[in-house]
């Protein structure tokens, strides 16, 4: 009798454990992702694809809940949303928190990556190589887990009224400057850099508080600036870096079988895929929008281009020297950035 009773208890316990395991396997886990990018943008569309893939691979157990267009908070706060756990992940821009990621900011160097769509792809490959070596430590020190770093296409000057034909034409012009490097270059040229989130560009152009913006074509499309700018000049040719950061506690709370799915979102390959989708191609809706603009594309004279490049190197030398004084390996990182960019650009 005792033997049968013991066996019955064991079977009942096994049934309870099995039921518990089944319930655990069906538990849904939601990760809240803060995005500053508007929902129609190509960057946001990539995240929608990632959401669908996560749901499919996890059989509905992992949901990526998106908060587009800074709906969780202003763009400069996005990194802190993930750091403090308000969001589980955040798609953020390094340049809006200057000084927090000093080595990562070296990627904002003008003329570092090739122009056009290729620049975004090359940049993501370079960052993928250097993230674990240099940049990851900055993100961890700041309080998050860095997933990847990506870049838009190299930027240019979009002016609302004046065609910029020379370096001297920048004097006195007020531009939204997206990175600390752009700020330094504008000041050196006599322009007035205005710091603001990308989400404020359209309103500022409409009010006339800025004369133009430094951004890439996808920025014009995503934030609907086409009717607000009239002239484009290939100056600065710098990139804006974006990161995907995750709150470590949010990661630790995930069951072990879901963690690899999140890990897969943070690989070099995932970053390159994201940059390729968001900035490396020309979606029909983007092409239609840009082709419909009455935009004067200025052919920058060779002398002006040479002058801008020389100024860019001077500014970077100054920034590197300042970081070296703080004990950071800025020269080493910058040299590796240029070498890797040359390597991937030649492929």
């Amino acid at each position: 009798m005792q033997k049968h009773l013991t066996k019955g208890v064991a079977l009942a316990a096994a049934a309870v454990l099995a039921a518990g395991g089944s319930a655990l396997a069906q538990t849904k886990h939601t990760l809240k992702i803060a995005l500053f990018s508007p929902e129609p943008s190509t960057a946001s569309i990539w995240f929608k694809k990632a959401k669908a893939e996560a749901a499919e691979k996890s059989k509905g157990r992992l949901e990526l809940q998106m908060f587009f267009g800074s709906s969780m908070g202003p763009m400069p706060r996005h990194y802190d949303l993930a750091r403090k756990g308000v969001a589980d992940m955040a798609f953020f821009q390094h340049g809006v928190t200057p000084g927090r990621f000093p080595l990562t900011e070296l990627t904002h160097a003008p003329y570092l990556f090739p122009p056009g769509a290729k620049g975004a792809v090359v940049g993501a490959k370079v960052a993928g190589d250097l993230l674990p070596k240099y940049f990851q430590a900055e993100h961890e020190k700041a309080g998050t887990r860095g997933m990847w770093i990506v870049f838009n296409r190299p930027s240019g000057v979009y002016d609302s009224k004046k065609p910029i034909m020379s370096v001297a034409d920048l004097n006195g012009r007020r531009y939204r400057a997206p990175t600390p490097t752009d700020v330094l270059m504008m000041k050196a040229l006599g322009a007035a850099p205005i710091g603001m989130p990308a989400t404020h560009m359209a309103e500022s152009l409409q009010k006339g508080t800025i004369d133009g913006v430094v951004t890439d074509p996808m920025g014009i499309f995503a934030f609907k600036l086409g009717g607000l700018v009239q002239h484009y000049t290939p100056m600065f040719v710098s990139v804006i870096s974006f990161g995907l950061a995750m709150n470590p506690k949010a990661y630790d709370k995930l069951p072990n079988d879901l963690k690899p799915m999140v890990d897969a979102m943070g690989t070099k390959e995932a970053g390159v895929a994201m940059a390729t989708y968001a900035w490396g191609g020309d979606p029909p809706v983007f092409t239609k929008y840009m082709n419909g603009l009455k935009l004067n594309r200025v052919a920058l004279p060779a002398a002006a281009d040479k002058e801008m490049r020389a100024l860019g190197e001077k500014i970077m030398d100054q920034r590197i020297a300042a970081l070296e004084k703080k004990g950071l390996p800025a020269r080493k990182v910058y040299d590796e950035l240029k070498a890797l960019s040359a390597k991937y650009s030649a492929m």
Side-chain angles (χ1 to χ4, degrees), residues 120-130 149 151 268 271-272 340 344 347:
V121 179
V122 168
K125 291 179 179 179
V126 172
D129 286 352
L130 297 186
I149 297 173
F151 307 90
K268 173 184 176 180
V272 172
L340 287 169
Y344 288 121
M347 291 182 176

Side-chain angles (χ1 to χ4, degrees), residues 157-175:
V157 175
Y158 289 86
D159 199 288
S160 61
K161 296 177 181 178
K162 181 180 179 180
I164 304 301
M165 305 290 295
S166 67
V167 172
D169 288 338
L170 292 168
N171 187 48
R173 303 300 284 169
R174 301 163 301 167
Y175 295 120

Side-chain angles (χ1 to χ4, degrees), residues 40-324:
S41 71
T42 50
S44 293
I45 294 172
W46 182 86
F47 277 98
K48 286 183 177 182
K49 286 166 57 70
K51 175 179 180 176
E53 290 174 4
E56 180 181 359
K57 291 178 180 178
S58 68
K59 296 182 180 179
R61 292 179 56 229
L62 181 61
E63 179 187 6
L64 304 182
Q65 186 178 6
M66 307 297 176
F67 294 84
F68 298 105
S70 298
S71 57
M72 284 192 77
M75 185 180 178
R77 286 185 53 215
H78 269 58
Y79 178 79
D80 285 322
L81 290 175
R83 182 178 67 84
K84 295 179 179 179
V86 178
D88 299 308
M89 290 185 187
F91 179 52
F92 71 101
Q93 182 179 328
H94 295 94
V96 299
T97 55
R100 190 176 238 172
F101 308 94
L103 294 179
T104 303
E105 286 180 15
L106 292 174
T107 62
H108 303 160
Y111 307 100
L112 177 61
F113 301 129
K118 187 174 183 179
V121 179
V122 168
K125 291 179 179 179
V126 172
D129 286 352
L130 297 186
L131 177 63
K133 193 172 182 180
Y134 299 113
F135 307 144
Q136 182 66 272
E138 293 187 328
H139 291 72
E140 291 178 354
K141 181 180 179 181
T144 69
R145 181 183 183 202
M147 305 284 281
W148 41 243
I149 297 173
V150 296
F151 307 90
N152 63 345
R153 301 181 185 192
S155 303
V157 175
Y158 289 86
D159 199 288
S160 61
K161 296 177 181 178
K162 181 180 179 180
I164 304 301
M165 305 290 295
S166 67
V167 172
D169 288 338
L170 292 168
N171 187 48
R173 303 300 284 169
R174 301 163 301 167
Y175 295 120
R176 182 257 178 171
T179 71
T181 302
D182 289 329
V183 168
L184 291 173
M185 288 189 69
M186 286 186 192
K187 287 182 177 179
L189 293 165
I194 309 296
M196 69 176 64
T199 48
H200 294 183
M201 291 190 296
E203 182 182 358
S204 297
L205 285 166
Q206 288 169 343
K207 291 181 177 179
T209 54
I210 57 175
D211 298 308
V213 297
V214 173
T215 189
D216 75 324
M218 286 293 182
I220 299 296
F221 165 70
F223 297 98
K224 297 298 179 278
L225 307 181
L228 302 172
V229 294
Q230 296 182 23
H231 308 279
Y232 164 76
T233 303
M235 280 186 170
F236 294 97
V237 194
S238 57
V239 292
I240 303 170
S241 65
F242 307 96
L244 179 63
M246 185 169 190
N247 182 280
K249 292 181 180 178
Y251 179 82
D252 292 340
K253 288 179 182 177
L254 291 172
N256 289 334
D257 67 315
L258 292 184
K259 286 180 179 178
M261 297 183 193
V262 176
D263 293 338
M265 292 178 61
T267 63
K268 173 184 176 180
E269 291 74 21
V272 172
M274 190 280 178
T276 301
Y277 184 88
W279 296 284
D282 294 320
V285 62
F286 163 75
T287 301
K288 181 180 179 180
Y289 180 83
M290 294 303 292
N291 287 344
L293 301 183
K294 295 179 180 179
L295 188 65
N296 172 35
R297 291 174 171 81
V298 176
L300 189 66
D305 182 67
K306 183 178 180 181
E307 188 175 355
M308 283 292 294
R309 289 175 183 272
L311 175 64
E313 282 300 318
K314 180 180 178 181
I315 294 297
M316 290 309 300
D317 285 342
Q318 292 172 353
R319 296 206 71 189
I320 288 167
L323 292 177
E324 290 279 343

